[in-house]
Each structure stands twice: as structure tokens, then as C-alpha cells.
Amino acid sequence: MSRTLTIRLPNELLAWLRETSRRTGVPVSQIVREHLERAKANSGKQRFMRHVGAISGLPRDLSSRKGFSRK
């Protein structure tokens, strides 16, 4: 079953959608659906990315820590 969804878009995003639709000949609604499907397919694949930049203060090379050696 198909449902209608009404959303408000910033002018820049709407202009991009319309221009993309005009240039490709693909309806705006199809462009939105395809991008949502792509986002759905990619969700959860890079969960680790939420941790990027969360850890700070580590040495550049962990093997350079004082008192660390493999003998």
C-alpha cells in the first residue's frame, strides 16, 4: 500500500531536487524514494563511525608508550 508523506524542505534542497529531476527526467518523488531506500540499506553498516573523534590524547604510535616492550 502506498502512503503520502508531506514534508517541508529548505529552498536549497528543493531547488536541488527540482534541478536533478529536470536534468534526469526522473520525478522528484522517485528521487526521494531512491535516496530513502539507499539510506535504509546503508543504515547500521558503519555504526563504529559514531565513535570517530571520541577518543583523544592517545600517542600517535601506541608502540611508543614508555615502559612497553615485547621481550
Side-chain angles (χ1 to χ4, degrees):
M1 178 192 312
S2 179
R3 298 281 183 163
T4 300
L5 173 67
T6 302
I7 59 171
R8 296 184 195 284
L9 298 174
N11 290 335
E12 295 171 2
L13 185 54
L14 182 58
W16 175 83
L17 275 171
R18 287 180 175 163
E19 174 58 25
T20 302
S21 175
R22 184 196 62 73
R23 187 173 29 84
T24 61
V26 177
V28 169
S29 59
Q30 185 175 343
I31 294 170
V32 172
R33 279 191 302 272
E34 288 173 358
H35 278 77
L36 287 172
E37 286 291 335
R38 197 173 310 141
K40 178 183 170 188
N42 290 329
S43 67
K45 288 187 178 179
Q46 293 185 341
R47 290 184 181 177
F48 69 91
M49 291 300 285
R50 68 177 176 211
H51 299 295
V52 171
I55 301 172
S56 62
L58 296 175
R60 287 186 186 190
D61 182 3
L62 293 177
S63 66
S64 67
R65 287 189 327 212
K66 292 179 182 176
F68 179 80
S69 65
R70 291 184 186 206
K71 292 183 179 181

Coordinates of all heavy atoms in Angstrom, one line a residue:
M1 N 0.8 -1.2 0.0 CA 0.0 0.0 0.0 C 0.9 1.2 0.0 O 1.9 1.3 0.7 CB -0.9 0.0 1.2 CG -1.8 1.2 1.3 SD -2.6 1.6 2.8 CE -3.4 0.1 3.3
S2 N 0.5 2.2 -0.7 CA 1.3 3.5 -0.9 C 0.7 4.5 0.1 O -0.5 4.6 0.2 CB 1.2 3.9 -2.3 OG 1.9 5.1 -2.4
R3 N 1.5 5.3 0.7 CA 1.1 6.4 1.6 C 1.7 7.7 1.1 O 2.8 7.7 0.5 CB 1.6 6.1 3.0 CG 1.0 4.9 3.6 CD -0.4 5.2 4.1 NE -0.9 4.0 4.8 CZ -1.9 4.1 5.6 NH1 -2.6 5.2 5.8 NH2 -2.4 3.0 6.1
T4 N 1.0 8.8 1.4 CA 1.6 10.1 1.1 C 2.2 10.7 2.3 O 1.7 10.6 3.4 CB 0.4 11.0 0.6 OG1 -0.2 10.4 -0.5 CG2 0.9 12.4 0.3
L5 N 3.4 11.3 2.1 CA 4.1 11.9 3.2 C 4.3 13.4 2.8 O 4.9 13.6 1.7 CB 5.4 11.2 3.5 CG 6.4 11.9 4.5 CD1 5.8 11.8 5.9 CD2 7.7 11.1 4.4
T6 N 4.0 14.3 3.7 CA 4.2 15.7 3.4 C 5.3 16.2 4.3 O 5.3 16.0 5.5 CB 2.9 16.6 3.7 OG1 1.9 16.0 2.9 CG2 3.2 18.0 3.3
I7 N 6.4 16.8 3.7 CA 7.5 17.3 4.4 C 7.8 18.8 3.9 O 7.5 19.1 2.8 CB 8.8 16.5 4.3 CG1 9.2 16.3 2.8 CG2 8.5 15.1 4.9 CD1 10.5 15.7 2.6
R8 N 8.4 19.5 4.8 CA 8.9 20.9 4.4 C 10.4 20.8 4.2 O 11.1 20.2 5.0 CB 8.6 21.8 5.6 CG 7.1 22.0 5.8 CD 6.9 23.1 6.9 NE 5.6 23.0 7.5 CZ 4.5 23.5 6.9 NH1 4.6 24.0 5.7 NH2 3.4 23.4 7.5
L9 N 10.8 21.4 3.1 CA 12.2 21.3 2.7 C 12.8 22.7 2.6 O 12.0 23.7 2.2 CB 12.4 20.7 1.3 CG 11.9 19.2 1.2 CD1 12.0 18.8 -0.3 CD2 12.8 18.3 2.0
P10 N 14.0 22.9 3.0 CA 14.7 24.2 2.7 C 14.7 24.5 1.2 O 14.7 23.6 0.4 CB 16.1 24.0 3.3 CG 16.1 22.8 4.1 CD 14.9 21.9 3.6
N11 N 14.7 25.8 0.9 CA 14.7 26.2 -0.5 C 15.9 25.6 -1.3 O 15.7 25.2 -2.5 CB 14.7 27.7 -0.6 CG 13.4 28.3 -0.2 OD1 12.4 27.7 -0.2 ND2 13.5 29.5 0.2
E12 N 17.0 25.5 -0.7 CA 18.2 24.9 -1.4 C 18.0 23.5 -1.7 O 18.3 23.0 -2.9 CB 19.4 25.1 -0.5 CG 19.9 26.5 -0.2 CD 21.0 26.6 0.8 OE1 21.4 25.5 1.3 OE2 21.3 27.7 1.2
L13 N 17.4 22.7 -0.8 CA 17.2 21.3 -1.1 C 16.1 21.1 -2.1 O 16.2 20.2 -3.0 CB 16.8 20.5 0.2 CG 16.7 19.0 0.1 CD1 17.9 18.4 -0.5 CD2 16.4 18.5 1.5
L14 N 15.1 21.9 -2.1 CA 14.0 21.8 -3.1 C 14.5 22.2 -4.5 O 14.2 21.5 -5.4 CB 12.8 22.7 -2.7 CG 11.6 22.7 -3.6 CD1 11.1 21.3 -3.7 CD2 10.6 23.6 -3.1
A15 N 15.4 23.2 -4.5 CA 16.0 23.6 -5.8 C 16.8 22.5 -6.4 O 16.8 22.2 -7.6 CB 16.8 24.9 -5.6
W16 N 17.6 21.8 -5.5 CA 18.4 20.7 -5.9 C 17.6 19.6 -6.5 O 17.9 19.0 -7.5 CB 19.3 20.2 -4.8 CG 20.1 19.0 -5.2 CD1 21.3 18.9 -5.9 CD2 19.7 17.6 -4.9 NE1 21.7 17.6 -6.0 CE2 20.7 16.8 -5.5 CE3 18.6 17.0 -4.3 CZ2 20.7 15.4 -5.4 CZ3 18.6 15.6 -4.2 CH2 19.6 14.8 -4.8
L17 N 16.5 19.2 -5.7 CA 15.6 18.2 -6.2 C 15.0 18.5 -7.5 O 14.9 17.6 -8.4 CB 14.5 17.9 -5.2 CG 14.8 17.0 -4.0 CD1 13.7 17.1 -3.0 CD2 15.0 15.6 -4.5
R18 N 14.5 19.7 -7.7 CA 13.8 20.1 -8.9 C 14.8 20.1 -10.1 O 14.5 19.6 -11.2 CB 13.2 21.4 -8.8 CG 11.9 21.4 -8.0 CD 11.3 22.7 -7.8 NE 10.0 22.6 -7.1 CZ 9.4 23.7 -6.6 NH1 9.9 24.9 -6.6 NH2 8.2 23.5 -6.0
E19 N 16.0 20.6 -9.9 CA 17.1 20.6 -10.9 C 17.5 19.2 -11.3 O 17.6 18.9 -12.5 CB 18.3 21.4 -10.4 CG 19.5 21.4 -11.4 CD 19.1 21.9 -12.8 OE1 18.2 22.7 -12.9 OE2 19.8 21.5 -13.7
T20 N 17.7 18.3 -10.3 CA 18.0 16.9 -10.6 C 16.9 16.3 -11.4 O 17.2 15.5 -12.3 CB 18.3 16.2 -9.2 OG1 19.3 16.9 -8.6 CG2 18.7 14.8 -9.5
S21 N 15.7 16.5 -11.0 CA 14.5 15.9 -11.7 C 14.5 16.4 -13.1 O 14.3 15.6 -14.1 CB 13.2 16.3 -11.0 OG 12.1 15.9 -11.7
R22 N 14.7 17.7 -13.3 CA 14.6 18.3 -14.7 C 15.7 17.7 -15.5 O 15.5 17.3 -16.7 CB 14.7 19.8 -14.6 CG 14.6 20.5 -16.0 CD 15.1 21.9 -15.9 NE 16.5 22.0 -15.6 CZ 17.5 21.7 -16.4 NH1 17.3 21.2 -17.6 NH2 18.8 21.9 -16.0
R23 N 16.9 17.6 -14.9 CA 18.1 17.2 -15.7 C 18.0 15.7 -16.0 O 18.4 15.3 -17.1 CB 19.4 17.5 -14.9 CG 20.7 17.2 -15.5 CD 21.9 17.6 -14.7 NE 21.7 17.6 -13.3 CZ 21.9 16.5 -12.5 NH1 22.2 15.4 -13.0 NH2 21.8 16.6 -11.2
T24 N 17.5 14.9 -15.1 CA 17.5 13.4 -15.3 C 16.2 12.9 -15.9 O 16.1 11.8 -16.4 CB 17.7 12.7 -14.0 OG1 16.7 13.0 -13.1 CG2 19.1 13.0 -13.4
G25 N 15.1 13.7 -15.8 CA 13.8 13.3 -16.3 C 13.1 12.3 -15.3 O 12.1 11.7 -15.6
V26 N 13.7 12.2 -14.1 CA 13.1 11.3 -13.1 C 12.2 12.2 -12.1 O 12.7 13.3 -11.7 CB 14.2 10.7 -12.2 CG1 13.7 9.8 -11.1 CG2 15.1 9.8 -13.2
P27 N 11.0 11.8 -11.8 CA 10.2 12.6 -10.9 C 10.8 12.8 -9.6 O 11.5 11.9 -9.1 CB 8.9 11.7 -10.8 CG 8.9 10.8 -11.9 CD 10.4 10.6 -12.3
V28 N 10.5 13.9 -9.0 CA 11.0 14.3 -7.6 C 10.7 13.2 -6.6 O 11.6 12.8 -5.8 CB 10.5 15.7 -7.2 CG1 10.8 15.9 -5.7 CG2 11.0 16.8 -8.0
S29 N 9.5 12.7 -6.7 CA 9.1 11.7 -5.7 C 10.0 10.4 -5.8 O 10.3 9.8 -4.8 CB 7.6 11.3 -5.8 OG 7.4 10.9 -7.1
Q30 N 10.3 10.0 -7.0 CA 11.2 8.9 -7.2 C 12.6 9.1 -6.7 O 13.2 8.2 -6.1 CB 11.2 8.5 -8.7 CG 11.9 7.2 -8.9 CD 11.9 6.7 -10.4 OE1 11.0 7.2 -11.2 NE2 12.8 5.8 -10.8
I31 N 13.1 10.3 -6.9 CA 14.4 10.6 -6.4 C 14.4 10.5 -4.9 O 15.3 9.9 -4.3 CB 14.8 12.1 -6.8 CG1 15.0 12.1 -8.4 CG2 16.1 12.5 -6.1 CD1 15.2 13.5 -8.9
V32 N 13.4 11.0 -4.2 CA 13.3 11.0 -2.8 C 13.2 9.5 -2.3 O 13.9 9.1 -1.4 CB 12.1 11.8 -2.3 CG1 11.9 11.6 -0.8 CG2 12.3 13.3 -2.6
R33 N 12.4 8.7 -3.0 CA 12.2 7.3 -2.6 C 13.5 6.6 -2.8 O 13.9 5.8 -1.9 CB 11.1 6.6 -3.5 CG 9.7 6.9 -3.0 CD 8.7 6.0 -3.7 NE 8.8 6.1 -5.1 CZ 8.0 7.0 -5.8 NH1 7.2 7.8 -5.2 NH2 8.1 7.1 -7.1
E34 N 14.2 6.8 -3.9 CA 15.5 6.1 -4.1 C 16.5 6.4 -3.0 O 17.3 5.6 -2.5 CB 16.0 6.4 -5.5 CG 15.2 5.8 -6.6 CD 15.7 6.2 -8.0 OE1 16.6 7.1 -8.1 OE2 15.1 5.7 -8.9
H35 N 16.6 7.7 -2.7 CA 17.6 8.1 -1.6 C 17.2 7.6 -0.3 O 18.1 7.2 0.5 CB 17.7 9.7 -1.6 CG 18.6 10.2 -2.6 ND1 18.2 10.3 -3.9 CD2 19.8 10.7 -2.5 CE1 19.2 10.8 -4.6 NE2 20.2 11.0 -3.8
L36 N 15.9 7.5 0.0 CA 15.5 6.9 1.3 C 15.8 5.4 1.3 O 16.2 4.9 2.3 CB 14.0 7.1 1.5 CG 13.6 8.5 1.9 CD1 12.1 8.7 1.9 CD2 14.2 8.9 3.3
E37 N 15.6 4.7 0.2 CA 15.9 3.3 0.1 C 17.4 3.1 0.3 O 17.8 2.1 1.0 CB 15.4 2.7 -1.2 CG 13.9 2.5 -1.3 CD 13.4 1.4 -0.4 OE1 14.2 0.5 0.0 OE2 12.2 1.5 0.0
R38 N 18.2 3.9 -0.3 CA 19.6 3.8 -0.2 C 20.1 4.0 1.3 O 20.9 3.3 1.8 CB 20.3 4.8 -1.1 CG 21.8 4.5 -1.3 CD 22.4 5.4 -2.4 NE 21.6 5.5 -3.6 CZ 21.4 6.6 -4.3 NH1 22.0 7.7 -3.9 NH2 20.7 6.5 -5.4
A39 N 19.5 5.0 1.9 CA 19.8 5.3 3.3 C 19.4 4.1 4.2 O 20.1 3.7 5.1 CB 19.1 6.6 3.8
K40 N 18.3 3.5 3.9 CA 17.8 2.4 4.7 C 18.7 1.2 4.5 O 19.1 0.5 5.5 CB 16.4 2.0 4.2 CG 15.8 0.8 4.9 CD 14.5 0.4 4.3 CE 14.0 -1.0 4.8 NZ 12.8 -1.4 4.1
A41 N 19.2 1.0 3.3 CA 20.1 -0.1 3.0 C 21.5 0.0 3.7 O 22.1 -0.9 4.1 CB 20.3 -0.3 1.5
N42 N 21.9 1.3 3.9 CA 23.2 1.6 4.4 C 23.2 1.8 5.9 O 24.2 1.9 6.6 CB 23.8 2.8 3.8 CG 24.2 2.5 2.4 OD1 24.6 1.4 2.0 ND2 24.2 3.6 1.5
S43 N 22.0 1.9 6.5 CA 21.9 2.1 8.0 C 22.5 0.9 8.8 O 22.2 -0.2 8.4 CB 20.5 2.4 8.4 OG 19.7 1.2 8.3
G44 N 23.3 1.3 9.7 CA 23.9 0.2 10.6 C 25.2 -0.3 10.1 O 25.8 -1.0 10.8
K45 N 25.5 0.0 8.8 CA 26.8 -0.6 8.3 C 28.0 0.0 8.8 O 29.1 -0.6 8.9 CB 26.8 -0.5 6.8 CG 25.8 -1.5 6.1 CD 25.9 -1.4 4.6 CE 25.0 -2.4 4.0 NZ 25.1 -2.4 2.5
Q46 N 27.9 1.3 9.3 CA 29.1 2.0 9.8 C 28.8 2.5 11.2 O 29.0 3.7 11.5 CB 29.5 3.1 8.9 CG 30.0 2.6 7.6 CD 30.5 3.7 6.7 OE1 30.2 4.9 6.9 NE2 31.3 3.4 5.7
R47 N 28.3 1.7 12.1 CA 27.9 2.1 13.4 C 29.2 2.6 14.2 O 29.1 3.4 15.1 CB 27.3 0.9 14.2 CG 25.9 0.6 13.7 CD 25.3 -0.4 14.5 NE 24.0 -0.7 14.0 CZ 23.2 -1.6 14.4 NH1 23.5 -2.4 15.4 NH2 22.0 -1.8 13.9
F48 N 30.3 2.1 13.9 CA 31.6 2.5 14.5 C 31.9 4.0 14.3 O 32.6 4.6 15.1 CB 32.7 1.6 14.1 CG 33.1 1.9 12.7 CD1 34.1 2.8 12.3 CD2 32.6 1.1 11.6 CE1 34.5 3.0 11.0 CE2 32.9 1.3 10.3 CZ 33.9 2.3 10.0
M49 N 31.3 4.6 13.2 CA 31.6 5.9 12.9 C 31.2 6.9 13.9 O 31.7 8.0 14.0 CB 31.0 6.3 11.5 CG 31.6 5.6 10.3 SD 33.4 6.0 10.1 CE 33.3 7.6 9.5
R50 N 30.2 6.5 14.7 CA 29.7 7.4 15.8 C 30.8 7.7 16.8 O 30.8 8.6 17.6 CB 28.5 6.9 16.5 CG 28.7 5.6 17.2 CD 27.4 5.2 17.9 NE 27.7 3.9 18.6 CZ 26.9 3.0 18.8 NH1 25.6 3.1 18.3 NH2 27.2 1.9 19.3
H51 N 31.9 6.8 16.9 CA 32.9 6.9 17.8 C 34.1 7.7 17.3 O 35.1 7.9 18.0 CB 33.4 5.5 18.3 CG 32.3 4.7 18.9 ND1 31.8 5.0 20.1 CD2 31.7 3.6 18.5 CE1 30.8 4.2 20.4 NE2 30.8 3.3 19.5
V52 N 34.1 8.0 16.0 CA 35.2 8.7 15.4 C 35.4 10.1 16.1 O 34.5 10.8 16.3 CB 35.0 8.9 13.9 CG1 36.1 9.8 13.3 CG2 35.0 7.6 13.2
G53 N 36.6 10.3 16.6 CA 36.9 11.6 17.3 C 36.6 11.6 18.7 O 36.8 12.6 19.4
A54 N 36.0 10.5 19.2 CA 35.6 10.5 20.6 C 36.7 10.2 21.6 O 36.6 10.6 22.7 CB 34.5 9.4 20.8
I55 N 37.8 9.7 21.1 CA 38.9 9.4 21.9 C 40.1 10.3 21.6 O 40.4 10.5 20.4 CB 39.4 7.9 21.7 CG1 38.3 6.9 22.1 CG2 40.6 7.6 22.6 CD1 38.6 5.5 21.7
S56 N 40.6 11.0 22.6 CA 41.7 11.9 22.3 C 42.8 11.7 23.3 O 42.6 11.0 24.3 CB 41.1 13.4 22.4 OG 40.7 13.6 23.7
G57 N 43.9 12.3 23.0 CA 45.0 12.2 23.9 C 45.9 11.0 23.8 O 46.8 10.8 24.6
L58 N 45.7 10.1 22.8 CA 46.5 9.0 22.6 C 47.8 9.3 21.9 O 47.7 10.2 21.0 CB 45.7 7.9 21.8 CG 44.5 7.3 22.5 CD1 43.8 6.4 21.6 CD2 44.9 6.6 23.8
P59 N 48.8 8.6 22.2 CA 50.0 8.9 21.4 C 49.8 8.5 19.9 O 49.0 7.7 19.6 CB 51.1 8.0 22.0 CG 50.4 7.1 23.0 CD 49.0 7.6 23.2
R60 N 50.6 9.1 19.0 CA 50.5 8.8 17.6 C 50.7 7.3 17.3 O 50.0 6.7 16.5 CB 51.4 9.6 16.8 CG 51.1 11.1 16.7 CD 52.0 11.7 15.8 NE 51.7 13.2 15.8 CZ 52.3 14.0 14.9 NH1 53.1 13.6 14.0 NH2 52.0 15.3 15.0
D61 N 51.7 6.8 18.0 CA 52.1 5.4 17.8 C 52.0 4.7 19.1 O 52.8 5.0 20.0 CB 53.5 5.3 17.2 CG 53.9 3.9 16.9 OD1 53.1 3.0 17.1 OD2 55.0 3.7 16.4
L62 N 51.1 3.8 19.3 CA 50.9 3.2 20.6 C 52.2 2.4 21.0 O 52.4 2.2 22.2 CB 49.7 2.3 20.6 CG 48.4 3.0 20.5 CD1 47.2 2.0 20.4 CD2 48.1 3.9 21.7
S63 N 52.9 2.0 20.1 CA 54.2 1.2 20.5 C 55.2 2.1 21.1 O 56.2 1.7 21.6 CB 54.7 0.5 19.2 OG 55.2 1.5 18.3
S64 N 55.0 3.4 21.1 CA 56.0 4.4 21.6 C 55.7 4.7 23.1 O 56.4 5.5 23.7 CB 56.0 5.7 20.8 OG 54.8 6.4 21.0
R65 N 54.7 4.0 23.7 CA 54.4 4.2 25.1 C 55.7 3.8 26.0 O 56.3 2.8 25.7 CB 53.2 3.4 25.6 CG 52.0 3.9 25.1 CD 50.8 3.1 25.7 NE 51.1 1.8 26.1 CZ 50.2 0.8 26.1 NH1 49.0 1.0 25.7 NH2 50.6 -0.4 26.4
K66 N 55.9 4.6 27.0 CA 57.0 4.3 27.9 C 56.7 3.1 28.7 O 55.6 2.9 29.2 CB 57.3 5.5 28.8 CG 57.8 6.7 28.1 CD 58.0 7.8 29.1 CE 58.4 9.1 28.4 NZ 58.5 10.2 29.2
G67 N 57.7 2.2 28.9 CA 57.5 1.0 29.7 C 56.9 -0.1 28.9 O 56.6 -1.2 29.5
F68 N 56.6 0.0 27.6 CA 56.0 -1.0 26.9 C 57.0 -1.7 26.0 O 57.7 -1.0 25.2 CB 54.9 -0.5 26.0 CG 54.2 -1.5 25.1 CD1 53.3 -2.4 25.7 CD2 54.5 -1.7 23.8 CE1 52.7 -3.4 24.9 CE2 53.9 -2.7 23.0 CZ 53.0 -3.5 23.6
S69 N 57.2 -2.9 26.1 CA 58.1 -3.7 25.2 C 57.7 -5.1 25.2 O 57.1 -5.7 26.1 CB 59.6 -3.6 25.7 OG 59.7 -4.2 27.0
R70 N 58.0 -5.7 24.1 CA 57.7 -7.2 23.9 C 59.0 -7.9 23.9 O 59.8 -7.8 23.0 CB 57.0 -7.4 22.6 CG 55.6 -6.9 22.5 CD 55.0 -7.2 21.3 NE 53.7 -6.6 21.2 CZ 52.7 -7.0 20.5 NH1 52.8 -8.1 19.8 NH2 51.5 -6.4 20.5
K71 N 59.2 -8.6 25.0 CA 60.5 -9.4 25.1 C 60.2 -10.8 25.2 O 59.3 -11.3 25.6 CB 61.3 -8.9 26.4 CG 61.8 -7.5 26.2 CD 62.6 -7.2 27.4 CE 63.1 -5.8 27.3 NZ 63.9 -5.4 28.4

